[in-house]
Amino acid sequence: LNQGYGALLNQQILHRGTGHRGGPARVLFILTFAPRPRYGINQLETRMIGHSGSYSLKWNQWGHTFRDFGKPKMRMPEPLTTLRSLGFFSFGQQWGWDFITVALMRIANEDTGFTLEDLSDFTKKGGLKMLPDHLQALDAKTWESFYFGTCTKLKTLLLQYYKLAVAGVVGFYLFINLFVLIMFRKRGFGHIFIRGTTRLLLTHGLVLFFGFLLMERTKFSQWGRNIKTGKAFQN
């Protein structure tokens, strides 16, 4: 194409053209139109966004639409922008492609930026900068195993901290109540222990109960069923 020309391409076709090798470097502006993700029974969108491209959006700009970018001060304030870009909540607005979905989609297809060569360079440079090396699966051979391994290590560490925190709270509570019992002899130890145990069960039990309900709702939602049956995210 000559300077100033444009081309309209269908992302479902294969690009067989050669690279630009002669003359000075050229600057290209690529605008990609993608179907909005839909997961309803009668609106299931099975197409994915185009592969082998370069998407120059910041991570917190994903999940939004043209209408949002037209009025960013009104429709893209923080922390709503971050929650929406990560796919947590749309606040009643129409969804765009969220950051996590796109990243996982590109990883699964070994797309630009997520090839095995990119993984090798990524791990050699230390991987995720916000995490120390011992919490990352830097010896992984695929992007999937890297992220799953890293998440497993983080889960193990956080679970250890959680157990220590619960043990510390229980120990501190028992110590205080034993001290009060010995010094003032107000109540029997059995009553104090039962009250403390009940309080712990209520606080942690409610969190686990609502977490279980949220996971079950996600699993049996139309979105979850479409992914589980392989209907969603097909070419």
Side-chain angles (χ1 to χ4, degrees):
L1 296 178
N2 296 324
Q3 182 177 355
Y5 278 49
L8 184 64
L9 299 177
N10 187 330
Q11 289 279 13
Q12 294 172 305
I13 65 175
L14 296 176
H15 183 275
R16 298 298 299 272
T18 60
H20 175 65
R21 304 184 184 280
R26 298 186 301 180
V27 178
L28 299 179
F29 178 71
I30 302 175
L31 185 62
T32 302
F33 293 89
R36 183 177 293 114
R38 295 185 176 93
Y39 308 107
I41 298 177
N42 300 319
Q43 294 183 325
L44 178 61
E45 177 56 70
T46 61
R47 294 173 295 176
M48 297 187 288
I49 61 175
H51 302 322
S52 301
S54 175
Y55 297 96
S56 301
L57 290 175
K58 295 181 179 179
W59 69 270
N60 61 352
Q61 292 178 330
W62 288 96
H64 297 85
T65 63
F66 271 137
R67 181 177 296 180
D68 300 320
F69 284 102
K71 298 180 179 179
K73 292 184 179 180
M74 182 180 70
R75 302 177 68 94
M76 299 176 66
E78 290 290 359
L80 307 187
T81 295
T82 296
L83 293 175
R84 191 171 176 184
S85 66
L86 296 177
F88 292 150
F89 198 60
S90 66
F91 302 96
Q93 305 298 327
Q94 290 182 319
W95 280 106
W97 286 98
D98 65 88
F99 174 73
I100 294 179
T101 299
V102 172
L104 293 177
M105 191 185 300
R106 292 168 73 85
I107 289 172
N109 290 281
E110 294 187 10
D111 203 355
T112 305
F114 294 102
T115 64
L116 297 182
E117 291 78 10
D118 294 322
L119 174 62
S120 178
D121 294 337
F122 178 73
T123 53
K124 287 179 180 178
K125 294 178 181 179
L128 300 172
K129 301 301 182 183
M130 74 286 293
L131 293 177
D133 290 352
H134 68 275
L135 290 180
Q136 302 185 66
L138 296 177
D139 57 344
K141 303 302 181 183
T142 64
W143 282 99
E144 181 181 6
S145 58
F146 169 79
Y147 281 110
F148 271 105
T150 300
C151 289
T152 300
K153 290 186 176 183
L154 282 172
K155 177 183 176 181
T156 301
L157 179 66
L158 292 175
L159 186 59
Q160 291 176 349
Y161 281 139
Y162 172 75
K163 291 179 179 179
L164 289 174
V166 171
V169 170
V170 172
F172 178 77
Y173 184 82
L174 290 177
F175 172 78
I176 293 298
N177 283 275
L178 281 173
F179 177 79
V180 172
L181 175 65
I182 294 173
M183 296 298 296
F184 303 100
R185 300 183 183 276
K186 287 187 175 181
R187 294 182 179 178
F189 176 75
H191 179 77
I192 297 174
F193 181 78
I194 292 175
R195 187 181 66 178
T197 303
T198 302
R199 185 177 300 171
L200 284 173
L201 289 176
L202 283 175
T203 54
H204 288 71
L206 286 175
V207 172
L208 293 174
F209 175 72
F210 285 113
F212 173 78
L213 290 181
L214 180 61
M215 292 179 65
E216 289 297 303
R217 180 179 179 183
T218 302
K219 184 194 305 183
F220 292 104
S221 66
Q222 191 63 47
W223 173 79
R225 290 198 297 267
N226 286 336
I227 292 180
K228 189 174 181 180
T229 57
K231 294 181 179 179
F233 303 137
Q234 303 179 58
N235 280 321

